[in-house]
Amino acid sequence: MSRFTESKIAVEAVKVVEEYGELTMGELIDVLTERMQPSGHDMAIIANRNDTYFSQKVRNLRSHSNKMFFNNVYYDSIIDKYVSYECKKMKDVLEEKVYVEKLVQKKSRAAVFYARKLDYERINKERKLIGNAGEELVYNDQIEFVKKNAPEYLKSVRHVSKLDGDGAGYDICSFNADEKLVYIEVKSTTGKKETPFYMSASEYAFYELHKENYVIARVYEFDINEKIGKIEYVLGTEFEGVFDKEVSAYKVVYKK
């Protein structure tokens, strides 16, 4: 049950205008409602009005001349829109056609960004639980495999990430049917096998250095409660033929 204050709404409203470039009051209300997810009293309709308490608080940014909002956002009375100062500067120097194109791109980026914005703390906690349980599944599978195919090396099978911590570049040290050492990186999901997964820079660097002995253990359709799932092993030498890579983060450094 939310009761957002005007100052809380003002902070979010500034971000919205900066990200979208320019918005009418109606558009601003729609975006803020989607992002802030007001509920309870905030979503009740004000008597004899068309506004909810939340939408009226957004309108109050203007009627109250909210200092925080108008210190950061420009109101263009000619087009009746709230404009970011970045876009105000662009509008002053660019041809109208070029400005409109840049504005469309800006709004598109803002929409995509917030479509991806999720509860990362919750997701990371779930990923860790699923990841740890998936590693246990693969480790036990490897114990059974090595017991049958390379029994003299059974005691050398190690759950490295559990015993030594993360950072080695792989999770499990095991052996293949030829009794050769293999480094297994486990990637687990409760979803389908094709669900994208992530590799850190150190994991990918380790793969590149040890392709001949490297294995991805793809755990999928994993049931976290029953601790059961399917496993597909992909050899390092097959990696490029099975997977595509996409850049999802950037490391930014100062120019020399």
Side-chain angles (χ1 to χ4, degrees):
M1 307 290 280
S2 68
R3 284 181 181 266
F4 288 113
T5 63
E6 186 177 313
S7 60
K8 173 93 172 167
I9 292 171
V11 171
E12 194 65 29
V14 169
K15 285 194 291 184
V16 168
V17 175
E18 287 176 345
E19 289 162 9
Y20 278 79
E22 59 179 52
L23 293 167
T24 64
M25 177 56 74
E27 291 170 336
L28 182 59
I29 290 170
D30 288 344
V31 177
L32 286 171
T33 301
E34 182 180 357
R35 288 194 186 182
M36 298 182 78
Q37 296 289 302
S39 61
H41 177 269
D42 275 341
M43 289 306 287
I45 302 293
I46 301 173
N48 302 316
R49 300 281 293 277
N50 291 323
D51 275 306
T52 64
Y53 283 94
F54 179 80
S55 63
Q56 183 58 55
K57 290 175 191 176
V58 180
R59 294 186 191 281
N60 287 346
L61 295 176
R62 179 176 176 179
S63 61
H64 294 172
S65 298
N66 185 278
K67 185 176 180 181
M68 184 189 302
F69 184 63
F70 284 105
N71 274 352
N72 295 278
V73 169
Y74 171 75
Y75 173 64
D76 189 331
S77 59
I78 297 175
I79 60 174
D80 193 22
K81 287 186 177 182
Y82 301 88
V83 184
S84 73
Y85 279 102
E86 178 194 11
C87 282
K88 183 179 182 299
K89 290 177 183 177
M90 285 197 301
K91 201 170 188 178
D92 290 340
V93 299
L94 296 177
E95 293 181 5
E96 184 177 359
K97 181 180 179 182
V98 176
Y99 173 74
V100 170
E101 289 175 353
K102 286 187 175 293
L103 190 63
V104 169
Q105 292 171 358
K106 192 174 183 66
K107 290 185 176 184
S108 177
R109 286 197 301 269
V112 169
F113 176 78
Y114 272 88
R116 292 174 176 172
K117 187 178 180 184
L118 302 170
D119 181 356
Y120 285 110
E121 185 176 341
R122 173 183 60 79
I123 289 172
N124 287 336
K125 185 177 180 180
E126 289 178 357
R127 279 180 180 166
K128 187 167 181 61
L129 287 172
I130 294 167
N132 290 343
E135 288 179 18
E136 287 291 341
L137 181 71
V138 174
Y139 175 73
N140 291 330
D141 186 61
Q142 284 300 301
I143 288 293
E144 293 303 313
F145 177 85
V146 173
K147 190 184 294 184
K148 294 177 182 178
N149 296 280
E152 66 177 294
Y153 293 105
L154 183 60
K155 291 184 179 180
S156 295
V157 177
R158 298 183 75 244
H159 192 161
V160 176
S161 60
K162 182 177 180 179
L163 296 173
D164 303 335
D166 293 326
Y170 62 100
D171 298 311
I172 295 166
C173 175
S174 188
F175 298 85
N176 62 22
D178 295 325
E179 300 186 346
K180 290 185 177 180
L181 193 66
V182 291
Y183 307 105
I184 302 175
E185 175 62 29
V186 183
K187 297 298 180 184
S188 305
T189 180
T190 56
K192 295 184 179 296
K193 181 177 68 175
E194 294 78 13
T195 303
F197 59 84
Y198 295 88
M199 292 182 74
S200 68
S202 62
E203 288 170 351
Y204 192 78
F206 188 89
Y207 147 71
E208 288 191 307
L209 290 169
H210 302 273
K211 288 184 181 181
E212 293 295 324
N213 305 79
Y214 188 87
V215 177
I216 288 283
R218 183 53 165 158
V219 177
Y220 60 102
E221 296 178 18
F222 185 65
D223 187 321
I224 189 67
N225 295 314
E226 299 295 329
K227 302 293 191 294
I228 56 175
K230 299 175 181 178
I231 307 172
E232 179 182 62
Y233 292 102
V234 179
L235 301 179
T237 52
E238 300 171 348
F239 187 97
E240 301 293 339
V242 175
F243 303 116
D244 283 323
K245 305 186 297 294
E246 294 181 2
V247 176
S248 62
Y250 296 91
K251 178 181 179 181
V252 180
V253 299
Y254 283 99
K255 292 182 178 179
K256 294 182 179 179

